[in-house]
């Protein structure tokens, strides 16, 4: 790593030593930028790296809510406003018991570069809570969302910070959050949240956007780098939430066959192919566990333990659940089983060792901040529709998404090639995302 970068990285390590996920995300970006920073002395002269690793603002707050039995509970809420060089802070909210400051910071940091890659004007941010939505009634979810927004509303706004969904936050939660925001502010600011319902300012194709976008990226990567496609490929997808479901749908539409999917308890395997409609109905409409799927598909088998999904031989692996789900051991199994492409639907699903192993073995690798940028891209289109008080058709949004995901893919691999490292899409994505943000920060002065 370049001397300036390693000096800044050491200071982050000393200051944020209890934030392993954040350090991991920073380390990956810094490793990628070494050559670029060597070539661009203005980065150090403007203290870009010192500034980019420090959130512009970070709020942590108490969320108190009362369950259906009248018992009070306290959770911790976060909103990290990381970087506003190219637009208002933008990024999802995650509700999951594992949420802590390190996780929200890593997600917010990644979001800066992802949002830049979309080509739209959005800064980076992230938020969430350690609230566990599992097993909660609809009324409990509603009360939690209202109490979360009781504090969050002070920090967000259409031109300030625009949250959306992430793990544990989907259309239902965004609806409750939006209703509460409107009540507290007494103002219909449609563009303050994205992922809204279609009846009140949501965009067609936002629900599908991350999974579809991932497949558009992987499809282009297969074509550009190997003159290949999804046709006839066995696909394994981890997770069965929003991103995983629509990656599954699009993988089929592009000619692939999805043979396994998972949740945090286990996975289902059907060598003849997972039935998308059955899976979607169970997971999206009924919020069922994935074990239910195997009871309704006679060709499918359920296995306990989510990691086992990666032991299934496949051509294309799409991790769409959570961070660090693929470590070096799993990466070795995937490569030994002949995987051709890995596309990250989740944020940072591969450890650094796993990522480096894929790239060293010339596996086509689609890094999260590029490959899953379709979700926030369509969030950006939702903001544009809200600002113009118009709504676009599904085809208009989907065509834009398709074209732009392909453009990101080409850019990422072209940059990697320009550094004589054609399979290093991580370097390509980080340089492509960083460049615009750094230039904007320099143009706006040292603040
Ligand atoms: P959902 O809440 O809809 O689904 C999450 C899925 O991942 C569920 O199947 C869940 O299983 C599984 N999962 C979550 N945590 C774990 C864990 N610790 N171990 C194993 N499985 C786990 O979330 P999304 O689909 O929206 O998000 C999935 C990933 O995609 C996340 O990394 C998110 O940051 C990323 N992402 C999401 C975008 C979006 O637009 N929604 C955009 C870009 C990235 P279970 O139900 O058992 O918990
Ligand atoms: O990680 C992500 O990009 C998201 N969860 C979507 C963020 C958004 O603002 O749509």
């Amino acid at each position: 790593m370049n001397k300036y970068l390693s000096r800044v990285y050491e200071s982050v390590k000393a200051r944020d030593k209890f934030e392993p996920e954040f350090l991991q995300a920073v380390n990956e970006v810094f490793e990628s930028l070494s050559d670029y920073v060597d070539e661009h002395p203005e980065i150090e002269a403007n203290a870009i790296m010192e500034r980019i690793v420090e959130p512009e603002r970070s709020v942590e707050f108490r969320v108190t809510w009362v369950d259906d039995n009248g018992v009070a509970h306290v959770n911790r809420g976060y909103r990290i406003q990381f970087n506003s060089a190219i637009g208002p802070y933008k990024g999802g909210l995650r509700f999951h018991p594992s949420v802590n400051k390190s996780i929200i910071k890593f997600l917010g940091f990644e979001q800066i570069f992802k949002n830049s890659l979309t080509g739209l004007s959005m800064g980076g941010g992230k938020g969430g809570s350690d609230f566990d939505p599992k097993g909660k009634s609809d009324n409990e979810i509603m009360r939690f969302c209202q109490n979360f927004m009781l504090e969050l509303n002070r920090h967000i706004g259409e031109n300030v910070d625009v949250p959306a969904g992430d793990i544990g936050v989907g259309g239902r939660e965004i609806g409750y959050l939006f209703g509460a925001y409107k009540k507290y502010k007494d103002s219909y600011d449609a563009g303050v949240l994205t992922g809204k319902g279609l009846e009140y300012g949501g965009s067609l194709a936002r629900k599908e956007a991350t999974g579809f976008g991932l497949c558009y990226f992987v499809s282009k990567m297969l074509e550009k780098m190997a003159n290949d496609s999804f046709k006839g490929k066995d696909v394994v997808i981890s997770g069965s939430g929003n991103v995983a479901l629509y990656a599954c749908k699009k993988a089929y539409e592009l000619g692939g066959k999805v043979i396994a999917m998972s949740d945090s308890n286990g996975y289902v395997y059907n060598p003849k192919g997972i039935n998308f409609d059955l899976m979607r109905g169970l997971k999206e409409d009924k919020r069922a566990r994935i074990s239910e799927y195997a009871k309704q598909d006679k060709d499918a088998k359920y296995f306990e333990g989510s990691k086992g999904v990666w032991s299934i031989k496949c051509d294309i692996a799409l991790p769409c659940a959570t961070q660090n789900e693929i470590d070096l051991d799993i990466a070795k199994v995937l490569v030994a089983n002949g995987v051709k492409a890995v596309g990250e639907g989740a944020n940072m699903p591969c450890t650094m060792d796993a990522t480096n192993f894929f790239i060293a073995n010339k596996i086509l690798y689609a890094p999260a901040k590029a490959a899953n940028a379709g979700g926030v891209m369509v969030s950006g289109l939702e903001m544009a529709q809200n600002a113009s008080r118009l709504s676009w058709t599904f085809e208009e949004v989907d065509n834009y998404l398709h074209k732009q995901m392909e453009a990101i893919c080409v850019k990422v691999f072209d940059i990697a090639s320009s550094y004589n490292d054609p399979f290093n899409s991580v370097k390509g994505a980080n340089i492509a995302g960083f460049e615009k943000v750094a230039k904007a920060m320099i143009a706006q002065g040292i603040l």
Side-chain angles (χ1 to χ4, degrees):
M1 205 192 279
N2 153 299
K3 261 198 190 145
Y4 164 55
L5 286 168
S6 61
R7 176 162 45 81
V8 177
Y9 183 63
E10 286 308 313
S11 77
V12 179
K13 247 168 68 180
R15 190 156 51 173
D16 299 328
K17 54 179 165 294
F18 300 120
E19 297 176 0
E21 293 86 2
F22 176 56
L23 291 175
Q24 182 183 342
V26 172
N27 189 31
E28 185 215 276
V29 169
F30 276 33
E31 292 276 358
S32 297
L33 292 178
S34 205
D35 291 339
Y36 183 87
V37 170
D38 278 343
E39 294 159 8
H40 292 272
E42 71 275 18
I43 301 296
E44 180 171 1
N46 286 275
I48 294 297
M49 303 321 292
E50 292 90 326
R51 292 196 279 148
I52 214 163
V53 294
E54 194 61 17
E56 291 175 16
R57 184 178 299 108
S58 165
V59 285
E60 213 174 301
F61 50 94
R62 190 182 75 196
V63 186
T64 311
W65 58 281
V66 178
D67 71 20
D68 290 343
N69 298 317
V71 178
H73 297 268
V74 173
N75 284 95
R76 196 168 278 177
Y78 300 89
R79 187 70 187 170
I80 309 255
Q81 299 177 329
F82 229 113
N83 192 293
S84 63
I86 64 168
Y89 310 107
K90 179 85 194 86
L93 297 170
R94 177 177 290 192
F95 292 170
H96 193 272
S98 63
V99 162
N100 57 36
K101 193 166 183 188
S102 174
I103 289 178
I104 300 299
K105 275 180 74 177
F106 113 67
L107 290 163
F109 185 70
E110 290 283 286
Q111 202 81 44
I112 304 170
F113 310 105
K114 182 195 306 194
N115 292 2
S116 164
L117 281 167
T118 66
L120 302 171
S121 302
M122 299 179 288
K126 200 86 187 189
S129 174
D130 58 2
F131 173 73
D132 185 359
K134 278 204 194 81
K136 303 291 189 294
S137 71
D138 207 56
N139 276 324
E140 288 173 331
I141 299 283
M142 180 176 74
R143 285 197 296 276
F144 178 80
C145 289
Q146 291 170 342
N147 285 291
F148 184 82
M149 189 52 87
L150 188 57
E151 173 63 30
L152 189 70
N153 84 86
R154 301 168 215 260
H155 309 289
I156 62 176
E158 287 183 316
N159 298 310
V160 179
D161 182 358
V162 182
D166 194 81
I167 292 176
V169 178
R172 173 181 61 169
E173 290 73 20
I174 293 293
Y176 294 145
L177 290 164
F178 185 73
Y181 180 89
K182 188 159 58 77
K183 183 95 179 162
Y184 301 140
K185 292 285 196 191
D186 200 15
S187 178
Y188 203 106
D189 304 335
V192 72
L193 289 165
T194 61
K196 298 182 295 296
L198 298 176
E199 307 78 11
Y200 60 96
S203 175
L204 284 158
R206 174 61 188 90
K207 186 173 71 176
E208 293 84 355
T210 313
F212 277 24
L214 170 67
C215 290
Y216 293 146
F217 187 106
V218 170
S219 173
K220 186 69 187 175
M221 174 174 79
L222 286 162
E223 179 204 287
K224 181 178 165 63
M225 301 297 288
N227 199 19
D228 207 340
S229 76
F230 264 91
K231 289 205 178 70
K233 302 288 188 300
D234 282 344
V235 181
V236 167
I237 300 178
S238 65
S240 45
N242 173 260
V243 179
L245 284 174
Y246 292 96
C248 171
K249 182 167 196 220
K250 187 53 75 176
Y252 273 118
E253 286 174 12
L254 294 172
K257 181 169 74 174
V258 179
I259 56 173
M261 294 180 77
S262 64
D263 65 16
S264 60
N265 293 115
Y267 67 96
V268 290
Y269 172 49
N270 180 349
K272 294 184 180 164
I274 298 285
N275 178 332
F276 168 74
D277 291 326
L278 177 61
M279 182 65 86
R280 193 208 61 74
L282 284 171
K283 298 302 291 190
E284 210 176 75
D285 299 340
K286 302 207 171 106
R287 301 180 191 275
R289 303 309 297 156
I290 211 166
S291 51
E292 283 300 310
Y293 177 90
K295 294 180 190 157
Q296 299 190 33
D297 174 353
K298 63 176 175 31
D299 296 316
K301 267 186 91 169
Y302 174 72
F303 300 86
E304 277 292 329
S306 57
K307 293 226 167 175
V309 75
W310 300 122
S311 65
I312 295 171
K313 183 177 161 52
C314 64
D315 304 303
I316 299 174
L318 303 178
C320 295
T322 194
Q323 64 275 357
N324 291 329
E325 50 170 310
I326 296 183
D327 59 15
L328 181 59
D329 289 341
I330 294 175
K332 285 180 178 167
V333 171
L334 282 165
V335 172
N337 281 342
V339 76
K340 293 182 178 64
V342 177
E344 298 187 322
N347 285 306
M348 205 166 77
C350 298
T351 65
M352 270 279 270
D353 288 348
T355 300
N356 291 337
F357 186 77
F358 288 132
I359 292 172
N361 282 278
K362 297 192 164 45
I363 304 300
L364 297 178
Y365 182 76
K369 61 173 70 72
N372 73 31
V376 74
M377 183 187 289
V378 173
S379 279
L381 302 186
E382 184 171 331
M383 291 162 72
Q385 291 169 79
N386 294 151
S388 63
R389 300 182 188 274
L390 294 171
S391 43
W392 306 343
T393 64
F394 190 95
E395 286 67 34
E396 282 174 295
V397 178
D398 188 38
N399 288 341
Y400 184 105
L401 171 71
H402 194 164
K403 227 172 105 194
Q404 293 305 317
M405 290 308 296
E406 292 193 345
I408 295 174
C409 176
V410 169
K411 188 171 185 181
V412 162
F413 283 95
D414 283 351
I415 293 180
S417 286
S418 74
Y419 284 93
N420 288 322
D421 205 354
F423 288 86
N424 197 344
S425 52
V426 173
K427 185 167 179 171
N430 283 324
I431 291 174
F434 173 78
E435 193 165 35
K436 180 175 164 187
V437 178
K439 283 184 177 163
M441 287 173 74
I442 292 170
Q444 292 169 29
I446 298 177
L447 278 170

